[in-house]
Amino acid sequence: MRKAEIIIIGAGVVGASVAYHLAAGGARDVLILEREASQGAGSTGRATGGVRAQFETEINIKMSLYSLEFFRECDFDCEYDPRGYLFFATDEKQFEYLKRNVETQRRLGVRGVEVVDRKTISEICPILNCEDVLGGTFGANDGFINPLAVMRGFTEKALTGGARIEYETEVHSIETAGGGRGGGKVTAVETNKGRIECETIVVCTGARAREVALTAGIDLPVEPQRRQIVWAK
C-alpha cells in the first residue's frame, strides 16, 4: 500500500505553490498528483498572468502585497513585468468607488497607486476612446508574471526540497473516517492507479475543486466562470 503524509491534488500553479511552501516549511513527505501528462494543462496554462494590489477588500490587498513582493524577490525567474494596471470609470458612482479603494489600498501599504484624470488615462492608453471617461486609478507596481514560469519555479524548488510528483494520476475520491463535518479525518485517496493512504489532503484542482471535495462530503462554494480578454498591441 502506497502512503504519503500530505497529498496535493493538482499540479498547477496553486498546487505547485502549496508544495513549495510546505517544503520550505520543513515538510518532507509531500506527494503532488496531476491527472494530465504534464503540468499547466488547466487554468494555469490559460491564465493571463495579471498581478495587482488594486483590490477593495483588506485580505485581497494584503495577499497581493505579499505576492508582488515575492515575485520581485523570489530566487527563480517568474518574468515579473510591472507595466501597471489601469481602472477607469464612466460615471460618478464608479469613480467614487475607485477613489475609496485607493484610500483603503494606501492605508494598507500599497505604493505607486494614484487617482488619475481623463487626460492622464489617454496618455497611459492612447488607443482608448476616453470621451465618456471621468477618471480612474493606476497602480504602477501592478503588472504581469508568466504563470508557467511561476509554476515551474515552485515545482523545481519543491522537488529539490523533497516533494514528489506523479503525472497521469487522477483522484476519483477522497476517503474519510470518523464523524464530524465532511465525514471526519481524511485517510486516503482513490486514484486511477490505486489507493494512496495519507494524513492530509490539499485540493488544488481549480474549477474541479467542488467536484473533488464532494467525494469527501464537503460542498465547496466554487463555481467556474468563463473569462474574456482583448489583446491590443
Side-chain angles (χ1 to χ4, degrees):
M1 183 65 66
R2 293 196 294 159
K3 296 182 179 181
E5 181 182 354
I6 303 170
I7 287 180
I8 298 170
I9 307 174
V13 70
V14 176
S17 173
V18 171
Y20 167 88
H21 285 89
L22 283 172
R28 290 293 175 265
D29 191 10
V30 177
L31 175 61
I32 311 167
L33 300 179
E34 169 57 49
R35 68 173 183 166
E36 302 293 345
S38 61
Q39 290 176 275
S43 299
T44 300
R46 296 170 175 82
T48 60
V51 290
R52 59 186 170 96
Q54 288 188 85
F55 286 96
E56 64 273 16
T57 62
E58 182 172 338
I59 183 63
N60 278 345
I61 293 169
K62 287 183 175 180
M63 289 177 66
S64 297
L65 284 173
Y66 169 83
S67 298
L68 288 168
E69 182 65 23
F70 180 90
F71 291 136
R72 277 192 294 265
E73 305 295 335
C74 65
D75 53 359
F76 55 86
D77 184 13
C78 63
E79 301 178 27
Y80 169 57
D81 184 8
R83 296 190 183 189
Y85 249 59
L86 171 68
F87 291 88
F88 61 87
T90 56
D91 62 52
E92 287 292 348
K93 186 176 180 181
Q94 286 180 317
F95 197 17
E96 290 302 317
Y97 172 74
L98 291 176
K99 287 189 281 189
R100 287 196 302 272
N101 287 346
V102 168
E103 292 176 2
T104 302
Q105 292 154 12
R106 287 173 173 169
R107 175 173 58 83
L108 295 173
V110 178
R111 293 172 297 195
V113 63
E114 59 182 326
V115 177
V116 291
D117 58 18
R118 180 189 301 171
K119 181 177 181 296
T120 304
I121 290 174
S122 66
E123 293 170 352
I124 293 172
C125 188
I127 67 170
L128 183 66
N129 182 348
C130 294
E131 288 183 5
D132 61 344
V133 173
L134 298 181
T137 60
F138 182 74
N141 294 319
D142 299 337
F144 296 90
I145 49 89
N146 181 336
L148 294 175
V150 175
M151 179 191 70
R152 288 190 290 265
F154 278 144
T155 302
E156 290 171 5
K157 296 295 181 181
L159 297 181
T160 299
R164 296 168 288 146
I165 186 169
E166 292 186 13
Y167 297 102
E168 298 182 299
T169 305
E170 182 173 0
V171 173
H172 295 318
S173 63
I174 299 172
E175 294 183 14
T176 62
R181 181 178 180 275
K185 180 176 174 56
V186 297
T187 56
V189 294
E190 188 66 46
T191 78
N192 60 318
K193 295 182 178 179
R195 186 171 179 269
I196 308 174
E197 292 185 350
C198 60
E199 300 177 13
T200 303
I201 293 173
V202 187
V203 178
C204 301
T205 52
R208 294 184 59 244
R210 188 173 195 173
E211 172 190 337
V212 174
L214 278 173
T215 67
I218 298 173
D219 188 9
L220 291 179
V222 175
E223 296 183 12
Q225 293 184 338
R226 290 186 180 275
R227 301 294 296 273
Q228 296 179 327
I229 185 170
V230 176
W231 291 101
K233 294 184 178 179

